[in-house]
Amino acid sequence: MDRLAFDCEFKLADGLDTAAGTVEGYASVFGLLDRGGDIVMPGAFKASLADLRRRKAAVPMLWQHDPSQPIGVWTDLVEDEKGLKVKGELVLGVKAAEEKRALMQAGAVKGLSIGYMTKDHEIDRATGARRLKKVDLWEISLVTFPMLPEAQASVKGIEEFDPSQWERAFRDEGLSNREAKLATSVARKLIRRDGGPSEPAPRDGAADVLMALRRATESMRG
């Protein structure tokens, strides 16, 4: 499952001085490059939202993308001209949800992030940005730091680099064994250049690494 995060503002809909636990905001915004080098295109959620309605299924509200920490449910999800507008309810009978509401009131939690599976995308060969054209929405989380966890982890240091895992991930994306090995070699060089074994890369540098890697991979594909 992928994750995508923006600095999305949200609020407790009924005010901070009430007992209500309604949360609303934008879980995704169209046309913006996120810190993982992805851009969500208009209509990306259309099929997934239609399927959710057909199945009368609710999207879980998680804490920090942790499936063991559900704190509520998203009851209203709509694509508008800006992005994916969401509204949900914290389950205030659950202690963890009440604690998270207090954190939101204090301003300690400021972000929304989605968990999804990519169904259709295209890579901009000039920039390396990935345009998400169709995604399957799994969950929406309240997060402390709205950034892409995978991107952050990918630049922690060459000492944590596991070539076999990277090659397997590239093969899962459709690359041949040869292409996966070449892409992994490029990734290793980019990570070393971006931060070295001891210094984490700057938060916004992670997207540059990922997009450079995508450009290299696309050029290998011809």
Side-chain angles (χ1 to χ4, degrees), residues 55-71:
R55 294 187 290 111
K56 297 181 179 179
V59 175
M61 182 188 300
L62 300 184
W63 173 247
Q64 310 287 6
H65 295 291
D66 186 347
S68 70
Q69 292 199 62
I71 56 174

PDB file of all heavy atoms in Angstrom, residues 55-71:
ATOM      1  N   ARG A  55     -20.746  -0.874  -2.404  1.00  0.00           N
ATOM      2  CA  ARG A  55     -20.621  -1.880  -1.351  1.00  0.00           C
ATOM      3  C   ARG A  55     -21.082  -1.365   0.016  1.00  0.00           C
ATOM      4  O   ARG A  55     -21.089  -2.108   0.992  1.00  0.00           O
ATOM      5  CB  ARG A  55     -19.162  -2.332  -1.256  1.00  0.00           C
ATOM      6  CG  ARG A  55     -18.658  -3.066  -2.469  1.00  0.00           C
ATOM      7  CD  ARG A  55     -17.259  -3.649  -2.250  1.00  0.00           C
ATOM      8  NE  ARG A  55     -16.220  -2.631  -2.178  1.00  0.00           N
ATOM      9  CZ  ARG A  55     -15.542  -2.322  -1.080  1.00  0.00           C
ATOM     10  NH1 ARG A  55     -15.810  -2.937   0.063  1.00  0.00           N
ATOM     11  NH2 ARG A  55     -14.602  -1.400  -1.102  1.00  0.00           N
ATOM     12  N   LYS A  56     -21.443  -0.100   0.056  1.00  0.00           N
ATOM     13  CA  LYS A  56     -21.835   0.548   1.309  1.00  0.00           C
ATOM     14  C   LYS A  56     -20.748   0.362   2.371  1.00  0.00           C
ATOM     15  O   LYS A  56     -21.022   0.070   3.544  1.00  0.00           O
ATOM     16  CB  LYS A  56     -23.187   0.001   1.805  1.00  0.00           C
ATOM     17  CG  LYS A  56     -24.343   0.276   0.850  1.00  0.00           C
ATOM     18  CD  LYS A  56     -25.654  -0.248   1.399  1.00  0.00           C
ATOM     19  CE  LYS A  56     -26.795   0.052   0.430  1.00  0.00           C
ATOM     20  NZ  LYS A  56     -28.105  -0.460   0.928  1.00  0.00           N
ATOM     21  N   ALA A  57     -19.517   0.528   1.916  1.00  0.00           N
ATOM     22  CA  ALA A  57     -18.360   0.329   2.782  1.00  0.00           C
ATOM     23  C   ALA A  57     -17.845   1.674   3.284  1.00  0.00           C
ATOM     24  O   ALA A  57     -17.889   2.674   2.568  1.00  0.00           O
ATOM     25  CB  ALA A  57     -17.244  -0.400   2.031  1.00  0.00           C
ATOM     26  N   ALA A  58     -17.379   1.681   4.501  1.00  0.00           N
ATOM     27  CA  ALA A  58     -16.821   2.892   5.096  1.00  0.00           C
ATOM     28  C   ALA A  58     -15.300   2.850   5.026  1.00  0.00           C
ATOM     29  O   ALA A  58     -14.690   1.778   5.066  1.00  0.00           O
ATOM     30  CB  ALA A  58     -17.277   3.028   6.552  1.00  0.00           C
ATOM     31  N   VAL A  59     -14.697   4.017   4.930  1.00  0.00           N
ATOM     32  CA  VAL A  59     -13.246   4.123   4.928  1.00  0.00           C
ATOM     33  C   VAL A  59     -12.785   4.372   6.359  1.00  0.00           C
ATOM     34  O   VAL A  59     -13.244   5.311   7.014  1.00  0.00           O
ATOM     35  CB  VAL A  59     -12.776   5.279   4.012  1.00  0.00           C
ATOM     36  CG1 VAL A  59     -11.271   5.472   4.117  1.00  0.00           C
ATOM     37  CG2 VAL A  59     -13.178   4.995   2.567  1.00  0.00           C
ATOM     38  N   PRO A  60     -11.883   3.546   6.887  1.00  0.00           N
ATOM     39  CA  PRO A  60     -11.463   3.733   8.281  1.00  0.00           C
ATOM     40  C   PRO A  60     -10.612   4.985   8.476  1.00  0.00           C
ATOM     41  O   PRO A  60      -9.848   5.376   7.598  1.00  0.00           O
ATOM     42  CB  PRO A  60     -10.653   2.467   8.576  1.00  0.00           C
ATOM     43  CG  PRO A  60     -10.193   1.978   7.246  1.00  0.00           C
ATOM     44  CD  PRO A  60     -11.265   2.359   6.276  1.00  0.00           C
ATOM     45  N   MET A  61     -10.777   5.597   9.631  1.00  0.00           N
ATOM     46  CA  MET A  61      -9.927   6.701  10.065  1.00  0.00           C
ATOM     47  C   MET A  61      -8.875   6.094  10.991  1.00  0.00           C
ATOM     48  O   MET A  61      -9.206   5.557  12.049  1.00  0.00           O
ATOM     49  CB  MET A  61     -10.740   7.757  10.815  1.00  0.00           C
ATOM     50  CG  MET A  61      -9.941   8.970  11.271  1.00  0.00           C
ATOM     51  SD  MET A  61     -10.911  10.080  12.372  1.00  0.00           S
ATOM     52  CE  MET A  61     -12.281  10.541  11.306  1.00  0.00           C
ATOM     53  N   LEU A  62      -7.620   6.131  10.549  1.00  0.00           N
ATOM     54  CA  LEU A  62      -6.544   5.544  11.330  1.00  0.00           C
ATOM     55  C   LEU A  62      -5.667   6.633  11.947  1.00  0.00           C
ATOM     56  O   LEU A  62      -5.724   7.798  11.556  1.00  0.00           O
ATOM     57  CB  LEU A  62      -5.662   4.636  10.461  1.00  0.00           C
ATOM     58  CG  LEU A  62      -6.334   3.444   9.771  1.00  0.00           C
ATOM     59  CD1 LEU A  62      -5.286   2.603   9.043  1.00  0.00           C
ATOM     60  CD2 LEU A  62      -7.114   2.597  10.760  1.00  0.00           C
ATOM     61  N   TRP A  63      -4.856   6.221  12.890  1.00  0.00           N
ATOM     62  CA  TRP A  63      -3.862   7.103  13.509  1.00  0.00           C
ATOM     63  C   TRP A  63      -2.494   6.718  12.957  1.00  0.00           C
ATOM     64  O   TRP A  63      -2.032   5.598  13.134  1.00  0.00           O
ATOM     65  CB  TRP A  63      -3.905   6.949  15.017  1.00  0.00           C
ATOM     66  CG  TRP A  63      -2.824   7.689  15.754  1.00  0.00           C
ATOM     67  CD1 TRP A  63      -1.791   7.145  16.468  1.00  0.00           C
ATOM     68  CD2 TRP A  63      -2.684   9.106  15.867  1.00  0.00           C
ATOM     69  NE1 TRP A  63      -1.007   8.132  17.007  1.00  0.00           N
ATOM     70  CE2 TRP A  63      -1.536   9.353  16.655  1.00  0.00           C
ATOM     71  CE3 TRP A  63      -3.416  10.190  15.376  1.00  0.00           C
ATOM     72  CZ2 TRP A  63      -1.099  10.641  16.952  1.00  0.00           C
ATOM     73  CZ3 TRP A  63      -2.986  11.468  15.681  1.00  0.00           C
ATOM     74  CH2 TRP A  63      -1.846  11.692  16.455  1.00  0.00           C
ATOM     75  N   GLN A  64      -1.855   7.638  12.218  1.00  0.00           N
ATOM     76  CA  GLN A  64      -0.509   7.463  11.689  1.00  0.00           C
ATOM     77  C   GLN A  64      -0.378   6.213  10.811  1.00  0.00           C
ATOM     78  O   GLN A  64       0.644   5.534  10.827  1.00  0.00           O
ATOM     79  CB  GLN A  64       0.510   7.381  12.848  1.00  0.00           C
ATOM     80  CG  GLN A  64       0.411   8.465  13.886  1.00  0.00           C
ATOM     81  CD  GLN A  64       0.911   9.826  13.407  1.00  0.00           C
ATOM     82  OE1 GLN A  64       1.244  10.010  12.244  1.00  0.00           O
ATOM     83  NE2 GLN A  64       0.968  10.801  14.321  1.00  0.00           N
ATOM     84  N   HIS A  65      -1.430   5.896  10.056  1.00  0.00           N
ATOM     85  CA  HIS A  65      -1.435   4.749   9.147  1.00  0.00           C
ATOM     86  C   HIS A  65      -1.279   3.413   9.867  1.00  0.00           C
ATOM     87  O   HIS A  65      -0.897   2.417   9.253  1.00  0.00           O
ATOM     88  CB  HIS A  65      -0.340   4.888   8.088  1.00  0.00           C
ATOM     89  CG  HIS A  65      -0.534   6.033   7.158  1.00  0.00           C
ATOM     90  ND1 HIS A  65      -1.553   6.084   6.222  1.00  0.00           N
ATOM     91  CD2 HIS A  65       0.178   7.193   7.019  1.00  0.00           C
ATOM     92  CE1 HIS A  65      -1.456   7.217   5.544  1.00  0.00           C
ATOM     93  NE2 HIS A  65      -0.426   7.896   6.011  1.00  0.00           N
ATOM     94  N   ASP A  66      -1.568   3.360  11.133  1.00  0.00           N
ATOM     95  CA  ASP A  66      -1.421   2.131  11.901  1.00  0.00           C
ATOM     96  C   ASP A  66      -2.744   1.379  11.909  1.00  0.00           C
ATOM     97  O   ASP A  66      -3.710   1.832  12.534  1.00  0.00           O
ATOM     98  CB  ASP A  66      -0.990   2.465  13.335  1.00  0.00           C
ATOM     99  CG  ASP A  66      -0.679   1.228  14.160  1.00  0.00           C
ATOM    100  OD1 ASP A  66      -1.026   0.108  13.725  1.00  0.00           O
ATOM    101  OD2 ASP A  66      -0.090   1.382  15.249  1.00  0.00           O
ATOM    102  N   PRO A  67      -2.827   0.229  11.231  1.00  0.00           N
ATOM    103  CA  PRO A  67      -4.096  -0.508  11.177  1.00  0.00           C
ATOM    104  C   PRO A  67      -4.566  -1.018  12.527  1.00  0.00           C
ATOM    105  O   PRO A  67      -5.740  -1.390  12.674  1.00  0.00           O
ATOM    106  CB  PRO A  67      -3.788  -1.668  10.219  1.00  0.00           C
ATOM    107  CG  PRO A  67      -2.309  -1.821  10.258  1.00  0.00           C
ATOM    108  CD  PRO A  67      -1.758  -0.450  10.471  1.00  0.00           C
ATOM    109  N   SER A  68      -3.680  -1.040  13.510  1.00  0.00           N
ATOM    110  CA  SER A  68      -4.084  -1.475  14.847  1.00  0.00           C
ATOM    111  C   SER A  68      -4.649  -0.318  15.662  1.00  0.00           C
ATOM    112  O   SER A  68      -5.055  -0.519  16.806  1.00  0.00           O
ATOM    113  CB  SER A  68      -2.893  -2.092  15.590  1.00  0.00           C
ATOM    114  OG  SER A  68      -1.929  -1.109  15.922  1.00  0.00           O
ATOM    115  N   GLN A  69      -4.686   0.883  15.078  1.00  0.00           N
ATOM    116  CA  GLN A  69      -5.191   2.048  15.808  1.00  0.00           C
ATOM    117  C   GLN A  69      -6.295   2.768  15.031  1.00  0.00           C
ATOM    118  O   GLN A  69      -6.144   3.930  14.641  1.00  0.00           O
ATOM    119  CB  GLN A  69      -4.060   3.025  16.109  1.00  0.00           C
ATOM    120  CG  GLN A  69      -3.046   2.516  17.107  1.00  0.00           C
ATOM    121  CD  GLN A  69      -2.230   3.639  17.706  1.00  0.00           C
ATOM    122  OE1 GLN A  69      -2.745   4.533  18.371  1.00  0.00           O
ATOM    123  NE2 GLN A  69      -0.940   3.614  17.455  1.00  0.00           N
ATOM    124  N   PRO A  70      -7.430   2.107  14.795  1.00  0.00           N
ATOM    125  CA  PRO A  70      -8.569   2.824  14.219  1.00  0.00           C
ATOM    126  C   PRO A  70      -9.172   3.747  15.263  1.00  0.00           C
ATOM    127  O   PRO A  70      -9.351   3.341  16.419  1.00  0.00           O
ATOM    128  CB  PRO A  70      -9.534   1.699  13.839  1.00  0.00           C
ATOM    129  CG  PRO A  70      -9.202   0.598  14.792  1.00  0.00           C
ATOM    130  CD  PRO A  70      -7.718   0.690  15.065  1.00  0.00           C
ATOM    131  N   ILE A  71      -9.452   4.977  14.897  1.00  0.00           N
ATOM    132  CA  ILE A  71     -10.004   5.939  15.856  1.00  0.00           C
ATOM    133  C   ILE A  71     -11.322   6.541  15.382  1.00  0.00           C
ATOM    134  O   ILE A  71     -11.908   7.364  16.076  1.00  0.00           O
ATOM    135  CB  ILE A  71      -9.004   7.073  16.158  1.00  0.00           C
ATOM    136  CG1 ILE A  71      -8.571   7.764  14.856  1.00  0.00           C
ATOM    137  CG2 ILE A  71      -7.801   6.533  16.913  1.00  0.00           C
ATOM    138  CD1 ILE A  71      -7.699   8.987  15.079  1.00  0.00           C
TER     139      ILE A  71
END
